[in-house]
Amino acid sequence: MLSGLELTILLLGSAVLGVVAFRMFHLPPMLGYLTVGILIGPHALGFADDNETTHTLAEFGVVFLMFSIGLEFSLSKLSAMRKIVFGLGMAQVLLTIGATMLFGWIVAFTLPQLTNISWQAAFALGAALTMSSTAIVSKLLTERLELETEHGRRIIGVLLFQDLALVPLLIIVPALAKNSGDLAATLGWASAKAVIVLVLLLFIGQKLMRGWFQIVVRRRSQELFMLNLLLITLGAAWITERAGLSMALGAFIAGMLISETEYKHQVEEDIKSFRDVLLGLFFITIGMLLNVRLVIEHWWLVLLLLSGPVLLKFGLIAALAKVFGSSTGVALRTGLALAQAGEFGFVLLSQAGGLHLMDPLLIQLILASMVLSMLVAPFILNKSDVIVMKLSANEWMMQSLALTQLATRTMATKKHVIIAGFGRSGQSLATLLEEEGIGYHALDLDPDRVIEARGAGAQVSYGDASRRESLVAAGIHRAAALVITYASTPSALRVLHHVHELAPELPVIVRSYDDTDLDKLRAAGAAEVVPEALEGSLMLASHALVMLGVPLRRVVHRVQASRDERYASLRGYFHGVGDANDIEDYLQERLHSVTLLEGAKAVGRSLAALDLARFGAEISSVRRGKGRLSITPETVLQSGDIIILRGAAEGIAKAEERLFTG
């Protein structure tokens, strides 16, 4: 049996391998965690046991996830989405639980010899099946730029209510499992305890939270801030656990309390690494619960339990979305996105198993079907447009009509600019084009924005610029240029791919956050890439130079020269401790200074002989004494030279090693 340290190392090592493998195929890391858990679990390779240590790690993962959800809990946000959240979301949860209980009663009545499912077990099962994966769905919607679409808002609203519904469900399920003749009294006592704890934490805790955080922040210690954050999270979880409630409930309340303070965003950033790592370990432990042998032996039951709930949720959610005013296409997309199982479903199923509400074999089979539904969810969501078109002739007609209307609006337009995205940047560009008498037509995926802007006379249509059909309808063959005004490299690359096929000579200008993907976008066909961070630096520098008396003509020349050189002199910067926040920072281009000491292998050698480019780094400049050398391949380095390297962190490390050891 592995010790606690050995088990933790095994879980962390497996998690790294699993996430790397799934990242290579552009799949959510959660699926990697689940797969790794299945492989190393006691029912497969047997490297790890399903013991108390793994359960503790799993519980902490849920605690920090619920804390993060509490941070996002906002009364103003709920008010704006109240019809979706408390209408569509509540109806989905209640009807899914009701349908599951009805099905359980039918099975128990017609096939008593097959299984004996009590109504308490059916309720717990329905509560588990009603959940959808917030982590998978929200990530895929973000990548597909669909968060602000009509179906995206409905999906997020339902997910939000599911997250909120977990709190009372975690209270109700254990109450149902108790052998009490008076269920109402049991539920009443549980509710009373919940109310008492909520009052203590929300009202008394709210008054203490802001003042206590101010005391901690005044100490100006990041270490103290993090310790205080962990203390509050785990302390609130301990209070609710001692009251007979769930640790997750306490963490959720702690998140809500902090969300009302001005430290919300700092806390959210600091807790992110803890949440993601521990939640990853939670998914590994869930995967470890899967008994592969039982799945193989009862594969037909697993497929039935997979297809049944998925089809039930898809049909139920699509029908409810239609009832709440959605079009057929939006309803179908909402149902497809929410049909799979969710991470909180595992929490409720594990709770039901621990309370012995269901047969262990049935739990294993349901668990297997839930894991499989999450594995196929990304593929279903990526093919949702194709599925909707095939299921709904009306949706096909509406899509065709929308494209026809778009083509009609742009048919008489020539030499116009296609604007992809009509947010703040897109609207500013449209205003300048109008003032210059240049035609344009914008595409945007926010229907409310499109309606308002079109009502004000803007030339904008609802459409996805990353779709080939939308670009054709927008008149790409007659356009003078295309401008991508939102900073999303994956979407921009899809647009550039279609432009390369449809109109390879059309100049495309792309917006990006910084210079990280500048070369990638240029290689994909972008005529110009405008990095916000570098353009901001140029504007700051130009204003400063003018105020210092540098002639305006010279300032303009220097700014234009920097742009012409693709921001070569500005790319990368010296990173400090505060900049190393995540893995993206590690991969970004940076500057690093190296002083060449006596005896270094690079002394007396030319830059061409060193060939640092093969390590993914280059020499930005060389300072010798008080001057800066003019760099050429024939430049020979000397002892005492200060070499400025530019590249990613790994490339710089290899280049520095090359300079000193050869």
Side-chain angles (χ1 to χ4, degrees):
M1 182 177 176
L2 297 177
S3 66
L5 176 60
E6 291 170 337
L7 178 60
T8 303
I9 292 174
L10 173 64
L11 294 177
L12 291 174
S14 303
V16 170
L17 294 176
V19 172
V20 167
F22 274 70
R23 282 285 192 186
M24 289 174 62
F25 294 100
H26 305 288
L27 294 172
M30 182 191 303
L31 303 183
Y33 291 129
L34 291 171
T35 304
V36 163
I38 294 170
L39 292 176
I40 69 172
H43 305 297
L45 299 177
F47 292 156
D49 296 324
D50 181 25
N51 54 30
E52 186 177 350
T53 303
T54 57
H55 282 293
T56 301
L57 291 172
E59 195 164 16
F60 278 125
V62 178
V63 163
F64 282 99
L65 178 60
M66 288 299 294
F67 177 80
S68 298
I69 291 173
L71 286 175
E72 295 301 320
F73 186 82
S74 167
L75 292 178
S76 59
K77 183 177 180 181
L78 280 179
S79 177
M81 301 176 63
R82 59 186 178 275
K83 183 178 178 182
I84 298 174
V85 176
F86 295 105
L88 179 59
M90 181 183 294
Q92 182 266 325
V93 170
L94 294 178
L95 289 180
T96 302
I97 294 175
T100 306
M101 293 180 70
L102 177 62
F103 179 77
W105 177 80
I106 293 173
V107 170
F109 182 76
T110 57
L111 300 170
Q113 71 282 3
L114 181 63
T115 183
N116 184 21
I117 302 178
S118 65
W119 71 268
Q120 293 93 336
F123 181 92
L125 179 58
L129 294 180
T130 194
M131 298 294 168
S132 303
S133 177
T134 302
I136 291 179
V137 175
S138 60
K139 182 178 187 300
L140 290 174
L141 288 178
T142 302
E143 291 177 351
R144 290 165 59 87
L145 302 177
E146 294 180 355
L147 278 176
E148 294 302 324
T149 61
E150 190 176 353
H151 65 272
R153 288 196 292 270
R154 278 159 173 72
I155 292 167
I156 294 301
V158 173
L159 289 172
L160 179 57
F161 185 83
Q162 289 178 358
D163 293 342
L164 296 176
L166 177 67
V167 176
L169 289 174
L170 287 173
I171 298 172
I172 294 172
V173 171
L176 295 177
K178 291 183 179 180
N179 295 321
S180 174
D182 191 349
L183 180 61
T186 304
L187 290 176
W189 174 236
S191 301
K193 288 194 298 182
V195 169
I196 293 171
V197 172
L198 285 172
V199 169
L200 289 174
L201 289 176
L202 288 176
F203 291 95
I204 299 177
Q206 189 177 34
K207 294 180 180 179
L208 296 175
M209 189 67 68
R210 191 183 300 274
W212 175 247
F213 258 94
Q214 288 176 352
I215 294 173
V216 171
V217 170
R218 288 196 188 103
R219 307 286 79 79
R220 299 183 182 278
S221 169
Q222 182 64 29
E223 179 183 4
L224 179 60
F225 188 86
M226 178 59 70
L227 286 172
N228 179 63
L229 181 59
L230 294 175
L231 173 64
I232 290 173
T233 306
L234 298 178
W238 175 79
I239 290 173
T240 52
E241 184 188 36
R242 295 294 295 175
L245 305 173
S246 70
M247 293 176 64
L249 174 61
F252 176 79
I253 295 172
M256 280 203 314
L257 294 177
I258 295 176
S259 71
E260 299 297 327
T261 71
E262 60 269 33
Y263 311 108
K264 170 187 173 181
H265 298 293
Q266 178 66 35
V267 168
E268 198 170 22
E269 190 64 32
D270 288 344
I271 206 69
K272 184 178 179 181
S273 56
F274 284 97
R275 179 199 66 195
D276 291 346
V277 171
L278 291 171
L279 191 59
L281 296 179
F282 163 71
F283 287 125
I284 290 179
T285 60
I286 290 299
M288 290 169 59
L289 297 175
L290 184 65
N291 191 325
V292 180
R293 181 179 58 81
L294 287 177
V295 172
I296 296 174
E297 290 179 358
H298 303 276
W299 62 268
W300 64 274
L301 270 176
V302 173
L303 290 178
L304 182 64
L305 291 170
L306 167 65
S307 57
V310 167
L311 291 175
L312 171 66
K313 285 180 68 177
F314 164 66
L316 181 63
I317 295 171
L320 286 172
K322 187 74 174 173
V323 169
F324 278 84
S326 300
S327 66
T328 303
V330 170
L332 291 174
R333 286 184 174 86
T334 305
L336 286 171
L338 297 171
Q340 84 293 131
E343 47 269 14
F344 289 147
F346 293 128
V347 177
L348 290 163
L349 190 64
S350 299
Q351 185 185 58
L355 296 169
H356 307 292
L357 286 174
M358 285 179 279
D359 183 83
L361 175 60
L362 181 60
I363 289 181
Q364 282 294 325
L365 298 177
I366 295 171
L367 180 68
S369 67
M370 292 172 66
V371 171
L372 290 175
S373 74
M374 295 177 72
L375 287 170
V376 300
F379 305 102
I380 294 176
L381 212 59
N382 287 333
K383 294 294 182 182
S384 59
D385 289 333
V386 178
I387 297 172
V388 170
M389 292 291 186
K390 290 184 177 180
L391 291 178
S392 174
N394 183 49
E395 175 67 13
W396 184 88
M397 290 290 291
M398 290 182 63
Q399 291 282 347
S400 301
L401 179 61
L403 291 174
T404 302
Q405 291 174 342
L406 173 58
T408 302
R409 294 191 191 102
T410 61
M411 191 172 293
T413 310
K414 294 182 180 179
K415 300 297 180 182
H416 61 293
V417 177
I418 299 175
I419 302 176
F422 206 59
R424 189 185 185 100
S425 298
Q427 293 171 39
S428 300
L429 172 61
T431 300
L432 293 175
L433 291 174
E434 279 186 335
E435 292 174 354
E436 293 297 324
I438 300 174
Y440 74 90
H441 201 92
L443 299 173
D444 197 270
L445 284 171
D446 189 330
D448 294 337
R449 181 186 295 155
V450 170
I451 293 171
E452 285 202 26
R454 191 187 296 165
Q459 299 300 310
V460 57
S461 298
Y462 180 83
D464 184 358
S466 64
R467 291 184 60 196
R468 179 191 182 97
E469 298 83 0
S470 298
L471 292 175
V472 173
I476 190 173
H477 297 293
R478 304 184 305 276
L482 189 151
V483 183
I484 302 174
T485 65
Y486 51 82
S488 172
T489 299
S491 178
L493 291 174
R494 289 196 295 270
V495 175
L496 290 168
H497 172 73
H498 294 316
V499 172
H500 179 72
E501 289 185 343
L502 297 169
E505 301 302 319
L506 182 72
V508 182
I509 303 171
V510 182
R511 170 187 164 197
S512 67
Y513 285 120
D514 50 37
D515 59 322
T516 306
D517 298 316
L518 193 148
D519 294 327
K520 184 189 299 183
L521 291 166
R522 295 279 300 191
E528 293 292 341
V529 180
V530 182
E532 291 180 357
L534 300 189
E535 277 297 319
S537 300
L538 281 177
M539 290 299 98
L540 284 171
S542 63
H543 284 290
L545 291 173
V546 170
M547 292 184 67
L548 292 171
V550 179
L552 180 60
R553 184 186 298 272
R554 185 175 175 186
V555 172
V556 173
H557 174 74
R558 290 188 68 89
V559 170
Q560 190 57 47
S562 180
R563 291 193 181 108
D564 292 341
E565 295 170 3
R566 300 183 189 176
Y567 308 91
S569 60
L570 302 179
R571 295 179 68 180
Y573 63 99
F574 297 103
H575 285 213
V577 175
D579 296 312
N581 292 324
D582 51 37
I583 189 65
E584 296 297 332
D585 177 82
Y586 179 79
L587 299 174
Q588 283 183 6
E589 201 169 68
R590 63 180 66 199
L591 298 179
H592 177 63
S593 61
V594 177
T595 301
L596 210 57
L597 303 176
E598 186 72 37
K601 294 292 184 181
V603 173
R605 301 180 66 181
S606 67
L607 299 184
L610 291 171
D611 189 21
L612 299 183
R614 64 192 174 103
F615 300 109
E618 61 179 11
I619 294 180
S620 174
S621 62
V622 177
R623 298 189 67 88
R624 182 171 293 167
K626 295 184 179 181
R628 180 176 295 181
L629 299 182
S630 177
I631 299 177
T632 66
E634 291 75 30
T635 300
V636 177
L637 298 177
Q638 297 180 8
S639 175
D641 286 350
I642 299 176
I643 301 166
I644 311 301
L645 296 172
R646 178 167 57 209
E650 184 180 6
I652 286 177
K654 292 180 179 178
E656 186 173 1
E657 183 180 1
R658 169 77 167 166
L659 290 173
F660 285 105
T661 62

